[in-house]
Amino acid sequence: MRKVLIFFIFIYPIITFSQTSKDTIFSQKLKEDREFTISLPESYGTNKTKKYPILLLLDGDYLFDPFHGALKYGAYWDDIPEVIIVGISQNQKDERYTDCGVDPESGLPDAKGELFYEFISQELMPFLEKSYRIAPFKIIAGHDVTAGFLNFYLYKDQPLFNAYISLSPKFPVSMEETIPERLAALNQPLFYYQATAGGDLKSNKDRIIQLDSLASEIKKPNLFYHFDNFPNASHYSLVLHAIPNALYHIFGIYQPISINEYNEKIAVLPSGYVDYLNKKYETIEKLLALKTRIRFNDFKAIEAAIIKNKAYDEFGELSNLAEKQYPKSMLGNYELALMYEYTGEFLKARKYYQAAYEREEIGNLTQNLMYDKMEEMKNAKTQVQPAPSDSKP
């Protein structure tokens, strides 16, 4: 019994962190308790230093589950990073309408709407950042009236959120013109996604398309704008169509190197394959505020491009990068061994395969493979001798 109890004590934090739970926070602004649902990533309890992006959902009562499912699926395949999800309850007493109240003439939040705006920016988000390990990258999403309301966070010179998912928004007056102006004026990296549908509410759809016509003309390297119009969806079903598109729009750079990326962007390069890999992960860090170790399979993709294009001198750069990313593994020595093998210096290749053999296995690089390569190099017939230092070409 004691062993069972000890096991439960150790496993309980892991179970807790992988579960979804409800909580409340008392708002001094609104003078009431507000309920929210929160889901922490599965690795939250085991990785004690890692910080995670946060997704704040308005209309959390019904948007939480579809977003949670899509994010969990994407994270399983490492296409999308693990994300802390928080959904604000707004449909128990139709709070969404008073929360998102807008003055019909000015198009700005009314008295209650302004308090709800401040509740999020001055109470809820600070509370979450104090309570959980949240990375600087923040996303907000909503549907219909809440999708229109979330755009008010763009009105600040330094917006609270880095990414906006606006699903069939119901805009306050003139917002379809104001939002493109704000997107054009802001200088920091910003992701903006909006969607409508063939069966959407006409009052929403016409203004969404007008916003798109203005926003699509903005050409800025730091603005990542995407619009979807789903012809066979309704005002409600478009949500399930849009969520994966929105998430992959925002986190597209995070994905591992795919076959399409390899064929269309990497293999066609005349050189600079390692530079491409470095820049990919630098961009992930810059745009998403996520410092991510380069995936082993991405190393293998660059390795394949080097071999395909006979750019064998880049194996040295790839090896140096591997030593930084996986210092205890075989990878760094293995890349050097490949360089010498493909340039015909089999004795040196054998030396580095042997050095790799003595390190930790990684991916498909095993001691058996290193041993086989050592034997292969030992039996290779041609040795390339280094040219004398004073030799002429």
Side-chain angles (χ1 to χ4, degrees):
M1 182 66 183
R2 182 172 178 272
K3 290 182 179 179
V4 173
L5 179 60
I6 292 173
F7 172 79
F8 182 78
I9 290 172
F10 279 100
I11 200 68
Y12 176 76
I14 299 174
I15 296 172
T16 302
F17 286 130
S18 65
Q19 286 182 340
T20 295
S21 61
K22 290 188 180 294
D23 202 349
T24 59
I25 178 174
F26 181 77
S27 170
Q28 295 289 346
K29 298 286 183 181
L30 299 170
K31 305 301 180 187
E32 62 185 13
D33 285 323
R34 292 307 298 255
E35 183 184 81
F36 63 91
T37 305
I38 184 166
S39 174
L40 299 178
E42 291 189 6
S43 68
Y44 193 93
T46 55
N47 194 334
K48 300 295 186 181
T49 59
K50 184 176 179 180
K51 293 186 177 182
Y52 301 84
I54 187 169
L55 167 63
L56 182 68
L57 296 172
L58 308 182
D59 278 324
D61 310 71
Y62 65 87
L63 288 183
F64 188 92
D65 285 342
F67 269 99
H68 182 263
L71 282 164
K72 190 170 183 179
Y73 181 84
Y76 179 87
W77 297 107
D78 199 23
D79 272 359
I80 292 173
E82 290 183 297
V83 173
I84 294 173
I85 311 170
V86 175
I88 303 174
S89 298
Q90 291 184 274
N91 287 274
Q92 295 175 349
K93 299 178 182 179
D94 285 339
E95 299 97 329
R96 67 198 302 261
Y97 296 108
T98 53
D99 286 345
C100 302
V102 174
D103 183 284
E105 294 183 3
S106 69
L108 296 175
D110 62 16
K112 178 65 185 297
E114 186 173 351
L115 291 175
F116 182 70
Y117 177 95
E118 293 175 350
F119 159 65
I120 290 176
S121 60
Q122 298 177 26
E123 294 180 326
L124 179 60
M125 290 302 294
F127 166 78
L128 294 170
E129 291 182 280
K130 184 178 179 180
S131 303
Y132 303 99
R133 299 193 305 275
I134 294 175
F137 193 79
K138 302 176 181 68
I139 312 164
I140 188 169
H143 177 231
D144 190 76
V145 67
T146 62
F149 187 84
L150 62 81
N151 289 287
F152 288 125
Y153 291 100
L154 286 169
Y155 287 19
K156 295 287 187 181
D157 289 337
Q158 294 293 326
L160 177 60
F161 298 96
N162 311 90
Y164 298 75
I165 301 175
S166 180
L167 306 177
S168 183
K170 181 178 182 180
F171 292 133
V173 62
S174 301
M175 185 172 273
E176 67 271 31
E177 299 170 358
T178 307
I179 293 305
E181 292 174 2
R182 295 301 303 149
L183 296 178
L186 294 168
N187 293 319
Q188 61 267 49
L190 196 74
F191 294 84
Y192 193 91
Y193 175 92
Q194 68 165 342
T196 185
D200 201 356
L201 304 176
K202 190 176 189 308
S203 57
N204 288 10
K205 183 176 181 179
D206 291 346
R207 300 177 70 192
I208 293 167
I209 291 175
Q210 184 178 347
L211 186 154
D212 175 61
S213 68
L214 296 172
S216 59
E217 295 178 359
I218 303 171
K219 307 300 179 186
K220 294 174 59 180
N222 281 345
L223 175 62
F224 302 91
Y225 171 80
H226 188 80
F227 168 67
D228 276 325
N229 187 351
F230 301 101
N232 298 318
S234 70
H235 176 66
Y236 299 101
S237 66
L238 71 84
V239 169
L240 293 180
H241 292 270
I243 287 174
N245 284 15
L247 294 176
Y248 276 96
H249 168 63
I250 294 168
F251 292 119
I253 185 61
Y254 178 85
Q255 290 180 267
I257 293 173
S258 64
I259 293 175
N260 286 342
E261 184 178 0
Y262 174 81
N263 289 332
E264 297 172 9
K265 296 183 178 181
I266 300 174
V268 295
L269 293 172
S271 61
Y273 309 104
V274 181
D275 285 343
Y276 181 96
L277 185 62
N278 273 316
K279 288 176 182 176
K280 176 181 175 72
Y281 280 82
E282 287 170 2
T283 303
I284 293 173
E285 184 173 2
K286 177 183 176 182
L287 294 182
L288 305 179
L290 292 173
K291 192 169 182 62
T292 305
R293 184 159 67 169
I294 297 175
R295 300 171 178 91
F296 172 76
N297 285 341
D298 286 353
F299 271 98
K300 299 298 286 181
I302 299 304
E303 174 189 305
I306 290 172
I307 294 171
K308 175 181 174 63
N309 293 285
K310 300 180 180 179
Y312 305 131
D313 58 320
E314 291 205 27
F315 273 126
E317 295 177 63
L318 195 60
S319 173
N320 290 336
L321 187 58
E323 287 296 321
K324 293 177 183 178
Q325 296 285 314
Y326 298 94
K328 296 181 180 181
S329 80
M330 299 177 170
L331 187 57
N333 284 324
Y334 174 77
E335 302 297 354
L336 277 181
L338 285 179
M339 179 177 71
Y340 290 120
E341 178 181 351
Y342 277 94
T343 55
E345 297 188 60
F346 301 122
L347 287 178
K348 288 185 178 180
R350 187 173 189 273
K351 170 186 172 182
Y352 283 101
Y353 282 129
Q354 183 172 356
Y357 177 89
E358 296 169 359
R359 288 193 174 187
E360 293 179 2
E361 297 180 347
I362 180 172
N364 64 345
L365 304 184
T366 64
Q367 286 189 325
N368 287 341
L369 175 62
M370 297 307 122
Y371 181 82
D372 290 343
K373 295 298 292 185
M374 288 160 57
E375 291 298 302
E376 183 183 334
M377 295 303 100
K378 184 170 66 174
N379 296 325
K381 296 181 179 179
T382 304
Q383 296 292 336
V384 175
Q385 298 298 326
S389 58
D390 59 349
S391 63
K392 305 295 181 182

